[in-house]
Amino acid sequence: MNNFLQKLTTLLVVLVLPALVIFATVHFGNRRGNPEKFVYQNRADIEKKVDHSQFEILQQDFERPQDLTAACLSCHNKRDDELMASAHWRWERESELPNGRGTVSIGKKNLINNYCASAESNNGSCMRCHIGYGWKDKTFDFEDPTNLDCLVCHDNTNTYKKRKGGAGMPSTHENATAEFPVPDYNYIAQNVGKPLKENCGFCHFHGGGGNNVKHGDLEEAMLDCSREVDVHMAKAGQDMSCNDCHLTERHNITGRAYSVSSENNNRATCEHCHTSTPHNDKVIDLHNHKVACQTCHIPVYAKVNPTVMYWDWSVAGRTDENGNPITEYDVNHKYSYLSIKGRFVWDDHVKPEYFWFNGTADHYLYGDTISEIPVKINTLMGKYEESDAKIWPVKVHRGKQAYDVVTKEIVNVKVFAEKKGEGAFWEDLKWDTAIQLGMEYAGRYYSGQHDFVSTEMYWPLNHQVSPKEQTLKCIDCHTRSEEGRLANLAGFYLPGRDYAKGVDYTGFILIIISITGVVVHSLMRLFYKKG
């Protein structure tokens, strides 16, 4: 009897104990900790507010917006020095480019993009989003503090507007319309405060010529959205304003747009609030070493309104039989063709593309020649081997834009003018004239011969963060499916996606041989044990 119990015990030890070990390993290995509960108090709720209606200097009828700026600066002295040193004012900053290209002064002022090609030479339209009054040409005085537009950021009435085509000026009694009336400066001046979502969104939602055209993850629907669209800005969520994340000191606003930036500094990051280990789970937190938070937490973008994914300038200029401009629409009633701009492809709920990104970017500069197609207007730097590089979700905007076939350079194009006959493409639909004028304004040479080339521009995604229940799952990346999120990201080994048949088969065979050996050895000792 004792011999039987001894054999039974041995059998259990041989078979059951390993099974328990395997079960415990899998069970506890798959257990996930509960993320730390993050409690945040919005800055608007804790910062002191000032009733500007009590200030006598603001209780007057301002005729010009510049006079209002002077009144602001009479109390907020030296703030003009801070603002006039900022990229929001200069539209350029000294930046060290990667790949040893040196330090250059770059920004929205002088960089090429693949939307309207460049802000330069299109001041009347593009400079509507400048924080100044009247940057209509090169005579604009960047040293005059009364040219600063305090209201575009600090108006809390949502009634202040800059006029379309006004180079940053509001309407006057001479050019006011129902859509753009003369602002009530007295009322607005007495109701200024910290910037609201609407202030930032006035420009950052409408870049590229319309709502959500450019960024894809920044649009006016975020002013009143659900948690499914953005957990941070949703009124039912944290109801945060832009400057809750984009912390600001002395008018230096943290955060970078890599369409105009190059360096890895002054960034607004998730870790500033959430730390690098917010999940309370070692396995998931370890991902943060190589995976940006945004990669899992922004599974799709353009969640409400579509964004432009493709813009083909090469077909612009077509008119009907009477010479009138043409407008065509896609199935979702978004314009798909405009004579003045060409052909568009819009999309919503877009899955990002993924790249290694270390926080630095290169840019196409004036004088750079086309060496590869598609031309990269900006290049996100980084690779797996770099310690600060992470996998990042990106909107890639593709298109075709004009270049000089002799010099092989992307060209500036004058697209905007207030009336016909001034050579702007949107008015006259003549490419050579528009390019000639755009290049002259930028101080560049144009051979007189142009064609169109494919280009790409890269926009790292940071907004429209989903609730945790809607983030990516392990299987979205760790899969051999061609539909896997990281199926096309090369240069590293991803478990579940990458494998070598020889290594896998060898491993399986060794495991089977080992288990067989253990079992056979144990059984032999069990049944052939003497006594």
Side-chain angles (χ1 to χ4, degrees), residues 261-297:
S261 301
S262 286
E263 297 181 345
N264 186 16
N265 54 34
N266 203 45
R267 299 175 67 181
T269 69
C270 307
E271 288 87 346
H272 284 163
C273 288
H274 296 283
T275 79
S276 60
T277 57
H279 303 94
N280 196 26
D281 185 299
K282 288 185 177 179
V283 174
I284 299 179
D285 284 338
L286 277 174
H287 280 68
N288 190 51
H289 180 59
K290 281 297 179 186
V291 182
C293 307
Q294 292 86 335
T295 299
C296 296
H297 290 269

Side-chain angles (χ1 to χ4, degrees), residues 143-191:
E143 308 307 320
D144 182 355
T146 63
N147 279 336
L148 288 164
D149 183 351
C150 306
L151 301 182
V152 72
C153 295
H154 293 284
D155 163 42
N156 282 184
T157 69
N158 287 329
T159 65
Y160 178 74
K161 296 179 180 178
K162 287 170 174 275
R163 183 173 66 88
K164 284 185 178 178
M169 289 296 296
S171 294
T172 64
H173 292 290
E174 289 72 30
N175 55 31
T177 63
E179 183 180 8
F180 297 102
V182 178
D184 185 343
Y185 294 116
N186 180 261
Y187 169 62
I188 297 170
Q190 295 181 42
N191 291 279

